[in-house]
Amino acid sequence: MEIFEKQKNSAISGVDFSRKGSIDVKIIDLSIFINNQKDYFTTSSCSGRIILFDDSVGESDKVTNKQGCQWLFTSHDLVDKSQMMPVLEDITGDCVFKFEPFVLHVQCRTIDFAQLLLQCAVQSGFRNSGISLGKKGKYVVGVRSTHSMEVPLSQSGQLLVSTEYVEYLISLANKKMEENFRRIDRFFENLKSAVLQKSAESHIEKQCKEKVKKKFLEKFGGKEESVSSEKQSVKDQENIESVNIDTKDTLKSCDHITKQSDFLDNDILGLSLFDNEVT
């Protein structure tokens, strides 16, 4: 078993260490589709969330420790003010309102498969996406966007904004969440199309190679000639030239496959390092 297969089996069969402990409903189908592909598997994900958290908890280490805050409210869907307003009545610290968009990390078998996934992400609106190159040859695509939002609401338990302003933030976050969901759907459709196209191209390319091999075998497979090594060398060269001429049309018909496989624009290949983000 290859290293990639071992890593994939370990990741899929392992324990979910995210705060929620399960895949978000909105991206279950997407995650299943990716993990069903032999060249990909997901390592972490979040469909997007609207949260309230107390930023004053763990004041001394909150900059370096992601767990250095108390979560007061979390939703991976649209939010109604009736859900959030009661929480604000009981705040005692520094409450922060935050919207976080979809994030997904996918390990890929090769850099080519990583580039394909990256293109789908960028074309779907996740323009903060990139490829992380690991020391042990891991290729991990981070699918992310930039339309997040973070607003402080209170200090030491004292609400700093009006109820109307909180309602405005909820409305704004819901609009961002709706756009976030549209991008996820677009990414899913683009990825399915790209995987299907690559599969079809691989099949056609395989057929082309088989045609070339068949032509060679048909022309030279059963021939034996008793000639000197010098004449044999000349004969081999003539055979090669003959094959090149006879298979010219076959190779021409396959040429577009190579060109299509190189359609990725190097300009969109983002190289960056990502932290492992989980829900």
Side-chain angles (χ1 to χ4, degrees):
M1 183 182 295
E2 294 183 7
I3 295 178
F4 181 84
E5 272 73 24
K6 291 181 180 179
Q7 294 170 337
K8 180 172 183 175
N9 290 338
S10 176
I12 293 178
S13 61
V15 179
D16 188 338
F17 291 104
S18 66
R19 185 185 293 266
K20 183 181 177 182
S22 62
I23 300 174
D24 298 336
V25 174
K26 181 63 181 176
I27 56 175
I28 287 179
D29 290 342
L30 171 62
S31 298
I32 291 175
F33 176 80
I34 292 174
N35 288 319
N36 280 341
Q37 308 305 311
K38 63 183 180 65
D39 302 303
Y40 299 110
F41 67 90
T42 60
T43 59
S44 65
S45 64
C46 177
S47 64
R49 59 193 177 190
I50 298 173
I51 60 177
L52 286 177
F53 63 92
D54 187 346
D55 203 29
S56 61
V57 178
E59 186 71 26
S60 61
D61 63 350
K62 70 180 180 182
V63 175
T64 57
N65 186 357
K66 190 176 181 179
Q67 304 300 323
C69 62
Q70 180 183 359
W71 288 38
L72 306 175
F73 174 86
T74 307
S75 174
H76 295 273
D77 208 333
L78 303 183
V79 173
D80 186 84
K81 65 179 181 180
S82 62
Q83 298 173 274
M84 187 173 290
M85 297 308 293
V87 179
L88 294 175
E89 296 175 0
D90 300 323
I91 56 176
T92 58
D94 300 340
C95 182
V96 178
F97 180 102
K98 189 173 185 179
F99 165 76
E100 295 179 333
F102 169 68
V103 61
L104 174 71
H105 291 92
V106 181
Q107 186 167 331
C108 311
R109 185 183 297 273
T110 66
I111 189 65
D112 290 336
F113 288 109
Q115 286 178 307
L116 181 65
L117 186 67
L118 175 61
Q119 188 192 43
C120 292
V122 173
Q123 289 181 340
S124 303
F126 298 105
R127 300 188 179 280
N128 198 35
S129 302
I131 300 176
S132 172
L133 307 178
K135 293 182 179 179
K136 297 182 179 180
K138 289 184 179 180
Y139 304 104
V140 179
V141 175
V143 181
R144 304 195 294 190
S145 61
T146 58
H147 67 298
S148 58
M149 178 176 68
E150 183 170 346
V151 182
L153 298 181
S154 71
Q155 184 177 33
S156 301
Q158 181 65 40
L159 196 63
L160 303 175
V161 297
S162 65
T163 300
E164 290 76 16
Y165 186 70
V166 175
E167 292 177 356
Y168 166 73
L169 291 179
I170 294 174
S171 174
L172 184 59
N174 282 338
K175 291 179 180 178
K176 287 180 174 290
M177 185 67 84
E178 289 174 341
E179 172 59 23
N180 178 66
F181 288 160
R182 283 192 291 269
R183 293 184 185 186
I184 292 174
D185 292 339
R186 192 157 57 239
F187 172 61
F188 193 5
E189 292 303 315
N190 287 341
L191 182 58
K192 285 190 289 187
S193 297
V195 169
L196 182 62
Q197 179 182 345
K198 189 170 185 63
S199 176
E201 289 174 356
S202 298
H203 179 68
I204 295 174
E205 185 176 3
K206 182 180 179 181
Q207 287 182 323
C208 290
K209 290 180 179 179
E210 289 176 350
K211 286 181 181 180
V212 173
K213 181 179 179 180
K214 183 178 180 181
K215 278 184 174 291
F216 185 88
L217 293 176
E218 287 175 351
K219 196 169 187 67
F220 309 111
K223 293 186 177 181
E224 294 184 7
E225 296 186 24
S226 178
V227 293
S228 66
S229 59
E230 182 178 350
K231 290 184 178 180
Q232 183 64 48
S233 178
V234 174
K235 187 67 176 177
D236 289 343
Q237 183 60 36
E238 292 175 352
N239 288 345
I240 292 172
E241 293 175 356
S242 178
V243 171
N244 288 339
I245 294 174
D246 290 348
T247 61
K248 184 176 181 180
D249 292 337
T250 302
L251 294 175
K252 183 182 293 185
S253 68
C254 301
D255 184 55
H256 74 286
I257 299 299
T258 303
K259 292 181 179 178
Q260 287 183 0
S261 66
D262 295 333
F263 71 97
L264 292 172
D265 187 347
N266 291 332
D267 291 340
I268 68 168
L269 176 56
L271 299 178
S272 56
L273 298 178
F274 295 117
D275 295 327
N276 287 330
E277 296 191 25
V278 294
T279 304

